[in-house]
Amino acid sequence: MIQLAFYGAAGEVTGSCYVLSTDRAQVMVDMGMFQGEKDADEKNRRLPAVELGKLDAVVLTHAHLDHCGRLPLLVQHGYRGRIHCTAATADVAEIILRDSAYLQKEDYERALRHRGNHKRQKNHGASNHKQSRNNIQERNRSDREAPLYTEQEVERLLPHFSPLGYGQTAAIAEGISITLFDAGHILGASSVRMTIQDGERTMNVVFSGDVGPVGAPILRDPRTPAPADVLLLESTYGDRDHRSLDATRDELLAILKQAEASHGNVIIPAFAVGRTQDIVFHIGEFIRAGKLDPTPVIIDSPMAVSVTQLYARHTQVYDERAVELLHQQMKPLSFPGVRFTHSVEESKGLNDVKGGQVIVSANGMCTGGRILHHLRHNLPDPNAHVVIVGYQGNGTLGRRLVDGAKFVSIFGNDIKVRAKTHTLGGFSAHAGQTGLANWVEPLQSSNPRLFLTHGEDGPRRELANVLQKRYALSATFPQYGNIATL
Ligand SMILES: [Zn+2]
C-alpha cells in the first residue's frame, strides 16, 4: 500500500511537507516553515505524525524558507539519512538556514529583554501568588517563542545534503527512486518525479515544487516531469496571471532613464534570493544592449551578495542566454558599474552620494535591514525613485509606500515621501494561472490523480476549474493531516 500524507502547504502557501509511505520505506518531501499567520509559531512546533529519526530519505525541492525552514528539526530528532536536492539548492539552503537560526535567536533574546523590563514593572507590589502565576505565564510564553533550532543544529544538518543533478535519477530508499527537473523558480529549484515499485506495480508521483514563469532570467524554463500517476501541483497564483515580463522590463528601463535624466538615486528593495539577481540581470541586459548608459549598480545586502556568488559557482543551471554571456567572457551578473558592499560603513557611505546610483537592498518588504537607511535618505528627495518589485505584506513599510503614503516612520523619525514610488508587478518567481495550466499539459495523457497544494482555497479552486475545463482533470484539495491511499 502506498500512502501520501500532507503536513503543510495544504490550503495555504507555507509549511510545505509531504510524507510518502510504502510497506518498505518512508520518505519526506520538503520540511518548510509556516510563515506570516498568527498561529505560524504553533504550527512550526507541531511535528508531522511520523518518527522523524526513522525516515529513510528526505527530498528538498528548493531552498525557500517555507520549503527548507524546518529541516534542522530532523537532526534534532535523530535523523541520519540523506537530504536529496540539487547542489545549488544545498548551497542556498545553507545560507537561508544559518540566517534563520540567527534571526530566531535574535528575536528570542529581544523578547526576553522586553519581558524582563515588563515583568520588573508589573511585579512591583504584586502579591506572591500573583507573582508566581505571572511567572508561569511568562515561562509558557517564552517556551513557545524559543528558537526552533540553533546554529549548531544547522551545522549538523549540512553534511546530510546529497547533491543530485537535473535529469539524474537516484535510488533513495527501498523501491523508491527520484529524478529532478528544472523548476525555473529560484537557483537550484526542482520539480521531483518519484518512482515507486510496489510489488508488480510502478507508480510515478510528481511533486511540482514551486513552478517558475517561462522566460525568467538566467535559469532554464520549468520542465514538466512526465508521465505522472499522481500529481501534487502548487497553486500560489492559481487565480490570476501576472503582468507580462516584457512590459515590466520596459517599465523598469523607463524609470532608470528618468532617474538618469534627473540625476536621482534609484532604490530597489528586493528579496536577497532570486529577485535581487533578476533585477541586476535585467539592468545588465539594458546596458549590454546599449539601451542604458553604464551606471553604478550596488548590491547592498550581505545575504544577496552571498547568493549572487552562488550564481557564479553554479553555471550548470544556466539557460541559453546566460551560457552565451559566459562564452563571451561575460558573467550574467557582473558588468561595468556593478558593485557589492562588504561592510556597514560602505553601506552607510552610499548615503553621501546624492544621485546617479541604483541601490538594490534588502529586505524586500522594508521591514528591516539596510534598505531602511537608503529609504530614510532618499524618500525626501523628489528626484529619487523607489521601485517596488515584489510582494508587500499588509502592515509593512513597503505596502505603505505602494499605497502612496505621504509620510512614513523610519527609526522613529517621520520621513516625508517626495521620491516617486513605482510598483512593478511582473517579476514574480511563480507561474501565474496560465503558466501553471501550460505546465500540466504534458501530463494530460497520463491522466494523473491531482492534488492542489501550496495555495489558498480561492486560488486552488479557480485553478481546479481551469484544469477541469482544459484537461478534464478533477482536483482534490488536501488539508493538514490528510492521508491519501494511492
Ligand atoms: Zn519557493
Side-chain angles (χ1 to χ4, degrees):
M1 188 164 69
I2 304 173
Q3 287 194 316
L4 178 63
F6 300 84
Y7 293 116
E12 57 190 325
V13 291
T14 63
S16 273
C17 186
Y18 314 108
V19 174
L20 186 135
S21 312
T22 70
D23 298 334
R24 297 189 282 167
Q26 190 166 50
V27 298
M28 178 181 273
V29 177
D30 289 348
M31 194 175 185
M33 204 175 260
F34 292 91
Q35 293 173 284
E37 302 295 323
K38 273 199 207 78
D39 55 353
D41 192 59
E42 213 175 302
K43 286 174 167 173
N44 282 327
R45 281 164 211 284
R46 180 172 54 175
L47 295 177
V50 295
E51 278 194 67
L52 294 179
K54 293 199 173 149
L55 287 168
D56 295 288
V58 175
V59 183
L60 175 61
T61 60
H62 67 286
H64 270 149
L65 198 62
D66 64 319
H67 292 256
C68 75
R70 292 197 297 161
L71 288 175
L73 299 181
L74 289 170
V75 290
Q76 219 173 57
H77 288 81
Y79 178 66
R80 288 153 169 264
R82 295 176 180 213
I83 300 167
H84 302 272
C85 59
T86 63
T89 290
D91 281 349
V92 181
E94 177 177 346
I95 293 172
I96 298 270
L97 290 172
R98 281 184 205 273
D99 181 66
S100 166
Y102 173 77
L103 289 179
Q104 288 181 53
K105 189 179 78 179
E106 291 269 290
D107 282 352
Y108 184 53
E109 285 171 358
R110 191 178 313 122
L112 285 185
R113 278 197 302 275
H114 176 79
R115 226 166 275 158
N117 294 339
H118 195 62
K119 202 157 72 182
R120 269 195 296 281
Q121 286 165 8
K122 220 164 129 186
N123 285 350
H124 186 71
S127 73
N128 277 341
H129 172 71
K130 240 186 181 168
Q131 219 171 60
S132 69
R133 201 181 57 195
N134 278 344
N135 286 346
I136 289 167
Q137 282 172 354
E138 296 291 347
R139 201 170 55 233
N140 286 345
R141 258 173 47 204
S142 50
D143 278 353
R144 210 165 55 228
E145 287 161 26
L148 280 172
Y149 46 82
T150 63
E151 288 161 293
Q152 290 75 17
E153 281 162 334
V154 171
E155 217 57 52
R156 279 171 48 209
L157 177 79
L158 301 178
H160 292 260
F161 285 117
S162 177
L164 184 67
Y166 291 119
Q168 290 177 355
T169 298
I172 62 166
E174 223 182 305
I176 301 180
S177 63
I178 56 162
T179 311
L180 303 182
F181 294 75
D182 284 283
H185 172 60
I186 61 164
L187 186 70
S190 53
S191 300
V192 180
R193 184 175 62 218
M194 191 176 280
T195 305
I196 303 142
Q197 285 296 340
D198 184 41
E200 290 298 286
R201 126 183 122 134
T202 304
M203 179 180 275
N204 285 305
V205 180
V206 168
F207 299 85
S208 73
D210 286 359
V211 177
V214 168
I218 306 173
L219 306 176
R220 290 187 290 262
D221 287 342
R223 269 193 65 202
T224 310
D229 301 295
V230 176
L231 168 62
L232 279 79
L233 176 64
E234 71 121 321
S235 52
T236 317
Y237 292 107
D239 58 343
R240 74 196 96 149
D241 281 328
H242 308 296
R243 190 169 164 76
S244 91
L245 185 57
D246 282 340
T248 307
R249 248 186 322 231
D250 290 347
E251 281 178 87
L252 177 62
L253 176 61
I255 296 162
L256 293 169
K257 291 189 85 71
Q258 271 181 52
E260 192 179 44
S262 64
H263 201 65
N265 284 330
V266 179
I267 309 298
I268 309 182
F271 301 108
V273 182
R275 195 59 42 87
T276 292
Q277 293 79 17
D278 287 2
I279 297 298
V280 170
F281 176 82
H282 290 310
I283 298 175
E285 289 288 78
F286 299 150
I287 295 172
R288 285 185 285 263
K291 294 177 181 169
L292 186 73
D293 288 338
T295 184
V297 177
I298 299 112
I299 302 178
D300 185 33
S301 139
M303 197 199 267
V305 171
S306 306
V307 173
T308 305
Q309 283 160 354
L310 292 184
Y311 275 75
R313 191 190 302 171
H314 292 286
T315 54
Q316 76 279 8
V317 308
Y318 283 13
D319 67 4
E320 247 174 78
R321 172 63 182 149
V323 169
E324 182 187 288
L325 289 172
L326 273 188
H327 287 158
Q328 296 166 11
Q329 312 299 323
M330 285 190 265
K331 292 189 184 126
L333 295 175
S334 85
F335 45 86
V338 169
R339 197 148 69 73
F340 301 96
T341 56
H342 296 285
S343 64
V344 175
E345 289 68 42
E346 227 180 311
S347 167
K348 286 188 174 159
L350 298 173
N351 294 323
D352 300 333
V353 183
K354 290 292 162 237
Q357 56 182 2
V358 179
I359 300 173
V360 187
S361 184
N363 69 35
M365 292 195 205
C366 315
T367 54
R370 294 182 183 175
I371 188 69
L372 294 180
H373 293 280
H374 301 308
L375 290 173
R376 182 165 74 159
H377 282 87
N378 286 280
L379 284 176
D381 177 2
N383 290 324
H385 296 260
V386 177
V387 189
I388 303 287
V389 293
Y391 175 75
Q392 305 299 316
N394 274 329
T396 61
L397 174 56
R399 176 58 73 88
R400 304 226 338 111
L401 292 172
V402 168
D403 291 344
K406 296 273 181 283
F407 282 92
V408 294
S409 168
I410 298 177
F411 302 131
N413 301 315
D414 269 343
I415 308 288
K416 188 165 170 56
V417 181
R418 297 173 74 207
K420 291 173 199 71
T421 301
H422 313 262
T423 307
L424 303 187
F427 288 131
S428 181
H430 283 270
Q433 184 185 66
T434 308
L436 288 170
N438 292 343
W439 187 90
V440 172
E441 193 164 335
L443 298 175
Q444 182 181 20
S445 56
S446 44
N447 193 29
R449 180 169 170 190
L450 172 64
F451 296 94
L452 290 184
T453 60
H454 204 284
E456 282 161 10
D457 279 336
R460 61 180 182 171
R461 288 234 156 71
E462 293 207 25
L463 182 62
N465 290 337
V466 171
L467 297 177
Q468 174 72 49
K469 261 189 222 137
R470 249 177 95 167
Y471 309 122
L473 289 174
S474 31
T476 307
F477 306 121
Q479 298 295 335
Y480 185 98
N482 284 175
I483 297 176
T485 300
L486 305 182

